Each structure stands twice: as structure tokens, then as C-alpha cells.
Amino acid sequence: MKRSTIKDVANRLGVNPSTVSRALKDHPDIGLALREEIKRVAAEMRYTPNQMAVQLRQRQSHLIGLVIPEITMFFYPSVIRGIEEVLEPRGYQLVMLPSNESPLREAQNLRFCGENQLAGVLISFTRHTSPADGLSLLTRLDMPVVVFDKSLPDLPFDSVILEDEEAACRATRHLIDSGCTRIGGIFGSPNLLITQKRLQGFRRALSLSGLPFSEAMVRFAGDAAEADLCVREMIALEVIPDALFMMSDEIVMGAYPAILRSGIRIPENCSVICISDGFIPGCYYPGISYLHHDGAGIGREAALRLIGLIESDRSVALPEHRMVNAELVELESTNPVLKGD
Amino acid sequence: MKRSTIKDVANRLGVNPSTVSRALKDHPDIGLALREEIKRVAAEMRYTPNQMAVQLRQRQSHLIGLVIPEITMFFYPSVIRGIEEVLEPRGYQLVMLPSNESPLREAQNLRFCGENQLAGVLISFTRHTSPADGLSLLTRLDMPVVVFDKSLPDLPFDSVILEDEEAACRATRHLIDSGCTRIGGIFGSPNLLITQKRLQGFRRALSLSGLPFSEAMVRFAGDAAEADLCVREMIALEVIPDALFMMSDEIVMGAYPAILRSGIRIPENCSVICISDGFIPGCYYPGISYLHHDGAGIGREAALRLIGLIESDRSVALPEHRMVNAELVELESTNPVLKGD
DNA sequence: ATCCGTTGCGCAATCGTTTGCGGTTGATAA
DNA sequence: TTATCAACCGCAAACGATTGCGCAACGGAT
């Protein structure tokens, strides 16, 4: 039994398809009696509109492309929840387009968005996308787009990102304020703009307090396993910090157990702080203070902006760059605030 | 500058749209010279096919619906990676349809799949979906579907799930074999079939070894925060186990720090084991042995089955129920295997 | 009896592609 | 010279829904 079309309904009643179409959307041109009858029959025949046809006619789908560097358990699940929160009540759906950290795949993903007439695109770039490539990709895409989190320098498109430099600086200062002086840092992939900015903030905090910056005290890790290695290296080289800044949840999950494993005690021998989405720090004991990198919030903001672009006249507005700032959350290890995330 | 259509290309060359269409797909009816010329012009005009139109004509999209109870950082990111791995090379894309643990939203999501002529559906049910509702939803959907992980009893559709009972039993036996006798368990939402089966496995292991089962030693937690509470309650009531089985990563993240916080030492005072996707256990020190609930593997399996249904004659085959078994991974806490997840 | 204005519905084009079929060439065979 | 047959390409009808326009019927006003 195939799905019934508007034509089937029309034939069944001996009326024109256009009449059915109008009746179903309560067009006043159709008499009340017939209108009800049509609705009845349509329901009985379990008619539902074929959205492919509707969208072809309307020249637009209600699909939003989500182009992200990779599907990870960090950050993006929150972002997606935030986005969904905004999209769902407005009838849009999200299409996942993971790029697996490959600029090539990223380009294909964007092409997909164009060919399928998606309503708009939310994108976070891979760690290997060059600013020039990113620019040209989005430019030729010619469709509403909002960049979030992993942005590129000087992009003339709307964006929603964390105040990275400031967040890292405040985190580091928090360590300094609590009396630490030999402060180490573990950062993400050095290609990323957010890494560069967070490193800058880290350095700024040090120099503001007259503390020396030592190359030996900073490490870069592409994932949790590398973060684990970073810690081991530092221990092996006997550059033992009395405090450690970790720029992300993923790094925490690699580095934190590595610290404990090496025999160093937290926080007695080494204070820690990180930039986090908020869930992970409460899952460790002793807990970790963090600057809240609110994934859901960023997702919501980005989605709202995109909906704005889509439903307004998309061509005019100047790009807006929203920087959301991170709130410091201090975790008393005796009474952690475990949120539902 | 609007996107150019096949007609635009045709007009530019003074040929018929059908000729362009055929030329672009290397149909032998079109002469080689013209064929090349058309391709040249098409590329020059940056023509790309409008997939909406193609799909309307072809009566099928290359979109696969992913209906899951909720977007969490646990399990589903791995599942999605597994699915993508299979889908991407075949040109399918994934549409996220989170139900937020609401059966109503779940029903809407499935309706969406129907109306948009998605090629197929991968579904994991919410904890509140009744077997009858699930059955009727999928039946009336009338489209290729594979259920994974959170299934329902006696569903006449293909499914890929973990061998839950067996996994929990083996995990519990592992604790028993290492000499533990007062074994506690923290489980997920009691509505879930996987919870029931894992609880069954837990009990079976106990009874196999002649150990008593005590209601006081099992707790149910809907999320990490509740798992934290479970541990506190057990401590408060002084039902102190010498080993703890945790049925999921999410529960680990709530319970593990709670145990440490209460002063109990792992593994000296309390051995732990869990069922896990594999990443989390290595992120704790001391590490946790686990039975591997391979998200990516389940995702791959489910996707493969679905593709099979889609590309074969979908109507004939009897439903297959695949149970993947979990491998025991013992973590030497001194040298944890941190995988990239 | 004529004119006008509603009311209620059908006709047909359209969105962009695909595809069965038919028709026009030119060359080759009879 | 004519029948035959490729080789090449165009025509038009789909896919399923939407929508501007036209038009019949009817009632009321003049």
C-alpha cells in the first residue's frame, strides 16, 4: 500500500487536486462543507504531504546543515542540544555533516548543503582548514551561515564564539591568585584559533603577574591520549608544575588521571583549572574549578542568529560577531554540583 | 546570482534540457563532442543538480533518520561515528531526530521520516515508549527501519543490540572471581529493557555463585547526578559493598567520584567494574575494568543492515535480531590503554 | 430584464530533473 | 536508387504539490 497523494484524495472525491490542497490549508475559497469532507477523507486515507514536492515548489527545505570537524563526546553534544532547542519549535531539522577533520570532506559537506537547498548552515571548522579556504567555501556557498566555536580569522560571516583569550587569562589568574607560581598548561591542537587565543590569555595572565613564561611548561595535545602523554613527558623531564591549566574537557580526561597516576596529588601538590562545558569537572574527585564554555548556550545563540538570517532578508545585514564570555565556577570538592549536563 | 539549473545550461547552448541531463551522466546517446561541450559549460556556469527535484523524481532521498531518545555525550557519539562510517561512502546523510525522552516527540520524528521520504530509519526508543506504541509506530511507518540498543520486546523489525544479560553476568562474575562477596549494582532507568536484562545478568551471576541478592545493594539512576546520590544513600545506610557493578559510563561518571569522596578507596576497599563504550574507564585512576559495549560497532552493524534493507527488495526478508557480545577489557591501572575513543 | 458582485471551484503552469519514445540525419547495404 | 540501421537529439509526460487566474452559477440591486 503506497502512500496516498493529493491526487488520490482528489480522485476519490471527484474534485481537483488544487481544491484539496486549498481545503487542507483552510483556504476560504473552498466551501465549508466540502472543506470538511475533504479533510475527513484525507485523514481516512492517511494522506500526508510529500515534503519533497512541497520543498521543490517552495525552493527551500526546513533542513539545517551542521558541519562540524568531528563527532566527539565533548562539547558538540551540548551544542546540538542547544541548537535543537531553538530549531525544534520552529520546525527545522538538523542534518549532521561531520568532516572528520578533513578539509576535503568539509568542502563536500558544504556542497551537499547547497545542492539540497538546505535552509542554512551552522559550521565549526576543522583544525586543518586555512582561513582562505574557509572564506572561499562560505562565500561561494551563497546561503545563510553562522560560524560557531572553531572559527577562522577575519571571516565576514556571523559567528558565535567563546571569549577565549579572556577565559584562559581569568583561569590562569585564578591559579596565580591562589598562590601558584610554576604554572603549566596543556592546550589543544596548535592550528586552532581557539588554542592560539587561549594560549595568549595564558601568557597574558602570567606576564600580568610578572611570572615567567616557559616553553617547557606548555604542551599541545590533539586528544585525551596525547594529553596523557604530555603529563608523562613533563613528569619525565621533571618540569613539575604546582598548577596546571587545561584548555578543554578532553584534555582534562587525559591529563587528570595521568597526574594522579604519577603520584602527584590534587590539589595538595598541584592545583588544576580548566575550560569546560561544565559536566566533566564534577565527575572527578577532587573536583576541578573551571571557566564555563557553555556549549548549549553557544548552540542556541548560533541557531537563533541563523534563523534570523533565514527568515529575514538574508542579503542585507552586516555580519555580527558574538563573543560569549565564560563564567568562573569554583567547585568545592566536598559538595560538587553535579548538573544533569 | 541565482543557482543555475539544467535549463539554463540548455538554453545557453541551444539544446534541450534532456540532452544536458543525459550528457552530464555520460549517456551514450549524446555525441562525444556535444557531451564534452555541455560538461564544460555546465562547470563554467557552476551548475549543480537540485537534489530536491532529483529526489522528487526518484521518489527517494538519500537521508537516513536517526531517532534517539536524547543527545548525550554517552554512547551515541560513538554510534553516530559508526553509522557515518558506513553511510558516508555510500552517499547517505544522517538527520538527527532527538526525542528528548518524549514518546510524543518520538512519534513526530517518525512522521517526519515518512513525510520527507527518508530512505530509512535507525531508531533507539525512549525509556517511556511502550512496546505496543513502538510496534504501531514502526508498523505504520512502512519504511526500512533498524532498531538499535534501546529496543522493545518482541519487535518484528531488524535490530542490533548488546548481549546485555550476558555482559552484566560476566562483569559480575569477574568481581566474584576476584573474591568479592558483597556486590552492589547501580543500574539505569528501570523502564529500559537493557536495564532489566543487565539486572537479570547481575542476579544470575550472584545466584550461580550462591551469593545472596539484596535489594538494598541495587540502585537505579536516571543520570550521573542520580548515580552520585545512589552512592551517598548506600553509604548513609551503611550498606557498604566490597564491589560495585555499574551498568553504564554515565553511571560511572556519577558514582566513581562519589565513592572516592566518601573516603572509600578503589580498588582496596571496593572493586569496580562497568559496561562501557571503552573511553571513560581509562580516564579514571585507578582504572576500571569493563565489558565493552561497542557503540561504533553497533552503529556500523545497524547502518549496514539498514542499507541492506534499502537497497534490496525491502519487503521480503524476515527480521534479523543481531546480538553483539561484549568483550571483557581489564585495565591495569599502571598502564592504561587510552584509546582515541 | 440587465448588471454587478460573491461564492466556489477547476485549469494549467510551475518548481528542476528524468526518461520513454519518436524523429531526423547520414551512411551503408542491397 | 531505395530500404535499413545506427547514431543523436528533442518532445513531452511524469514526480507531488502550489497558486494565479478564469469562469460558472447564483443572488440581489437597479
Side-chain angles (χ1 to χ4, degrees), chain A residues 126-128 186-199 218-223 226 247 251:
Chain A
T126 80
R127 62 180 68 166
H128 304 117
I186 306 187
F187 294 83
S189 168
N191 292 330
L192 256 28
L193 194 56
I194 62 171
T195 299
Q196 291 159 22
K197 297 211 283 189
R198 292 178 192 187
L199 180 55
V218 314
R219 288 277 187 293
F220 299 91
D223 57 26
E226 287 185 28
M247 89 160 226
I251 286 173

Side-chain angles (χ1 to χ4, degrees), chain A residues 5-6 18 21-22 25 47 57:
Chain A
T5 76
I6 216 169
S18 61
S21 174
R22 284 191 256 256
K25 6 182 82 62
Y47 165 77
R57 187 75 229 256

Side-chain angles (χ1 to χ4, degrees), chain B residues 85-105:
Chain B
E85 212 173 284
V86 172
L87 257 40
E88 191 267 337
R90 292 173 174 79
Y92 290 89
Q93 293 294 345
L94 211 48
V95 183
M96 299 285 309
L97 297 159
S99 307
N100 297 336
E101 295 290 4
S102 148
L104 177 64
R105 176 94 196 270

Side-chain angles (χ1 to χ4, degrees), chain A residues 307-326:
Chain A
I307 297 292
L309 288 180
I310 292 172
E311 298 186 346
S312 75
D313 186 352
R314 60 193 68 175
S315 53
V316 280
L318 282 181
E320 290 186 45
H321 299 282
R322 172 127 163 69
M323 308 258 279
V324 322
N325 52 356

Side-chain angles (χ1 to χ4, degrees), chain B residues 117-173:
Chain B
Q117 315 272 121
L118 298 204
V121 175
L122 294 167
I123 185 171
S124 197
F125 288 99
T126 79
R127 61 179 70 165
H128 304 118
T129 309
S130 74
D133 288 351
L135 176 61
S136 85
L137 280 176
L138 294 194
T139 307
R140 87 170 58 175
L141 183 60
D142 190 32
M143 113 181 344
V145 52
V146 174
V147 182
F148 70 94
D149 201 57
K150 308 232 165 45
S151 184
L152 296 169
D154 307 320
L155 233 39
F157 296 94
D158 288 57
S159 68
V160 180
I161 59 178
L162 186 70
E163 195 129 40
D164 292 289
E165 207 263 354
E166 179 63 17
C169 181
R170 284 178 59 200
T172 310
R173 291 185 65 99

